[in-house]
Amino acid sequence: MDQVPGRLATIVPENSIRFLGHDTHTHSEPHLVYVGAGSARLAIDGEHVILGVHESVWLAPNVPHSARYSPGSLVLGPILSPSTLPPEPVHRLGSIPAVTAVMTAILGAAPTTDTEVQVFRAALDDVLTRLRGPWFSLPAPTHPVAAAVARELPFSSESLDQIAARHGISGRHLQRIFVSETGIAFRQWRVRARLNVAIGRLREGASVTHAARAAGYETGSGLRKALLREAGIDADALRR
C-alpha cells in the first residue's frame, strides 16, 4: 500500500502512510508522526529520530523531515490545527496512551466529512495541548545565587552586570555557573526564559505589545525578531 486510503486522506496527508517512507518535505502547519505498527526512522532537520510502536514526534511548521519505515509498518501523519504548536520545533512524545487512543479511533472511524474530521482533529489538539509545557525546556541552576537569578530573568530588563552586582557576584562568575550547571550560555538561557513568558501570553491571546512587556522586551518588534531567531515562529501564529 503506497497511498493513504481515501477515507483517511482528509485528516492524514497523502504521503503519510507508506511502507517505505517519504523523502524530505515540510508542512506549513503543525504535524504529528505516529507509529501504529512497526517502526520508523526519521531524519528531522538533520537530526535522526527512531520511533517504535505507539511512539510519536510532534513537529512545528516548516520543519524539514523525511522517513523510512520497516516492512509492514503503519505510520500516520495528521496535520494539526495551526495553534497546536509543540513546545519546541521537534518534540518527542514517546508512547502516550491518550495519543494512541485518538489515533486508534481515527483508524476505526475513518472520518470522511469535514465535520467528522474536525471532531478527531479537535480531540488530538486537546490531548497535545494538555501535554504542552513551556516552549523551551530550560534546566534550572542549583547554585543558590544562580537559582535566584534564574527566577528573575524572565521578567527583568537589567543587564548581566547589574543583576550580578545586586546579588553580590561578578557577571563573569555568574556566566560560568550557568554554563556549568545548565549547559546553556547565560544570554541564551535568559532569552529563552523570556520567550517562554511571551509565548505563554501570546497563546492566551495577548497582544504582541503586551506579551513583549510581560517578558521584559521594550518593543513588540524586538519580541518578533527574537521569536523568529530562537524558535522559528511568528508571533501572530501563536496568537491564532
Side-chain angles (χ1 to χ4, degrees):
M1 181 176 66
D2 188 56
Q3 299 293 330
V4 177
R7 289 170 61 81
L8 286 177
T10 53
I11 191 168
V12 181
E14 182 179 343
N15 62 355
S16 291
I17 301 183
R18 296 173 185 257
F19 283 130
L20 298 179
H22 51 73
D23 295 328
T24 301
H25 66 288
T26 64
H27 299 284
S28 60
E29 295 177 313
H31 175 51
L32 189 74
V33 179
Y34 171 84
V35 176
S39 63
R41 183 183 296 271
L42 294 85
I44 305 175
D45 200 15
E47 178 182 1
H48 292 284
V49 176
I50 298 177
L51 300 178
V53 178
H54 299 163
E55 293 184 335
S56 56
V57 62
W58 184 5
L59 302 179
N62 304 313
V63 173
H65 59 285
S66 63
R68 292 293 177 267
Y69 309 140
S70 62
S73 293
L74 175 64
V75 181
L76 305 182
I79 296 296
L80 307 170
S81 297
S83 61
T84 307
L85 294 167
E88 54 191 336
V90 180
H91 191 58
R92 305 186 196 200
L93 292 174
S95 178
I96 306 294
V99 172
T100 296
V102 175
M103 301 304 282
T104 301
I106 290 173
L107 285 170
T112 55
T113 68
D114 289 343
T115 300
E116 291 171 345
V117 168
Q118 188 53 41
V119 169
F120 289 102
R121 179 170 290 132
L124 192 55
D125 289 339
D126 181 63
V127 169
L128 294 175
T129 298
R130 293 175 186 272
L131 295 173
R132 183 174 57 191
W135 185 273
F136 295 103
S137 178
L138 293 174
T142 58
H143 186 285
V145 173
V149 170
R151 289 191 290 269
E152 300 174 6
L153 285 183
F155 315 99
S156 173
S157 59
E158 291 181 303
S159 68
L160 165 63
D161 289 337
Q162 288 173 327
I163 294 173
R166 185 158 49 78
H167 285 272
I169 192 173
S170 72
R172 182 171 298 179
H173 186 42
L174 183 58
Q175 290 189 82
R176 284 198 296 266
I177 293 173
F178 264 82
V179 172
S180 173
E181 297 196 351
T182 70
I184 302 173
F186 178 89
R187 179 186 175 280
Q188 188 176 40
W189 200 101
R190 178 180 192 171
V191 168
R192 292 185 172 188
R194 293 169 73 179
L195 288 179
N196 277 343
V197 173
I199 289 171
R201 298 292 193 279
L202 291 169
R203 283 171 171 169
E204 294 167 359
S207 68
V208 175
T209 300
H210 176 81
R213 290 174 179 170
Y217 285 91
E218 294 184 358
T219 64
S221 62
L223 172 60
R224 288 182 184 276
K225 291 177 181 177
L227 279 171
L228 286 173
R229 182 182 65 250
E230 294 290 328
I233 55 174
D234 179 74
D236 294 325
L238 284 168
R239 294 187 69 240
R240 288 195 296 269

